[in-house]
Amino acid sequence: MGRRPSEKKENELKLKLYITKDVKFILVDISKDEIELRKPWLGLVGDATKVVETINKEIKDDPFCLGKNHPWIEALAKKTKENVSKMEAQLAKDVVPFNFMTPMRIIRDAILELGSPALILVSEGANTMDIGRSVLVQTEPRTVGVSNLRKKLCY
């Protein structure tokens, strides 16, 4: 479950790295037109929350799992390790004047020093939201507020 696939060719190429002949895509969308445009193996029209609730009820006695040794899971794990390694290298540098990652590290370290109960972290802006989710790790429920002024997205 995620957002609609991008029109950009570069994203399609990245996606093809994980696709084998036996992979079938199921697209859940509120718009029938979007499903007809994307031509998935199976298109389900409806609210994603309701569709997933229904699917979960149906598979509760026989859940599905790829397992840690599936090539797709292994490729994701490898890419995750590479990305974390690159990010940690950037966070370790003391850059003057500050780059984006230096204050993120300072804020992360200050949050970690506070311990529990965790403070409520609110961020705004694409870079702050995306990188912040990785760097400013919050492990307690309801301690992250994300705001996107254009889409008014919060969770």
Side-chain angles (χ1 to χ4, degrees):
M1 298 297 303
R3 63 187 178 96
R4 288 180 175 157
S6 173
E7 298 287 338
K8 295 180 181 178
K9 291 290 180 196
E10 63 197 51
N11 288 334
E12 289 177 21
L13 292 174
K14 288 178 188 174
L15 189 59
K16 286 180 183 176
L17 293 175
Y18 305 112
I19 298 174
T20 60
K21 291 178 197 172
D22 59 336
V23 172
K24 294 174 176 63
F25 282 94
I26 300 171
L27 177 62
V28 178
D29 203 293
I30 200 77
S31 168
K32 182 180 177 186
D33 294 338
E34 190 70 24
I35 290 173
E36 290 172 356
L37 174 72
R38 302 291 174 195
K39 297 176 181 46
W41 180 74
L42 175 63
L44 302 172
V45 178
D47 177 79
T49 302
K50 298 292 182 194
V51 170
V52 171
E53 285 173 0
T54 303
I55 291 171
N56 285 337
K57 283 179 194 172
E58 292 298 319
I59 66 167
K60 71 177 173 27
D61 296 328
D62 188 20
F64 169 79
C65 181
L66 289 176
K68 292 180 183 179
N69 296 328
H70 189 278
W72 185 65
I73 300 296
E74 289 175 344
L76 287 176
K78 179 181 176 191
K79 188 64 177 170
T80 299
K81 281 184 180 180
E82 291 171 7
N83 289 346
V84 167
S85 178
K86 289 176 188 176
M87 186 174 60
E88 286 299 329
Q90 290 179 335
L91 286 167
K93 296 177 186 174
D94 281 321
V95 179
V96 178
F98 284 162
N99 63 7
F100 187 78
M101 295 302 268
T102 302
M104 290 295 260
R105 184 195 71 230
I106 293 167
I107 294 167
R108 177 198 65 188
D109 293 348
I111 290 171
L112 291 173
E113 282 181 28
L114 293 174
S116 187
L119 57 87
I120 296 174
L121 176 67
V122 179
S123 62
E124 194 284 324
N127 285 338
T128 306
M129 292 187 310
D130 295 341
I131 296 171
R133 284 186 197 107
S134 300
V135 176
L136 308 174
V137 177
Q138 298 291 88
T139 56
E140 295 182 29
R142 298 184 191 96
T143 58
V144 179
V146 177
S147 167
N148 181 321
L149 295 177
R150 190 182 302 156
K151 295 181 182 173
K152 296 189 171 43
L153 164 71
C154 283
Y155 64 90

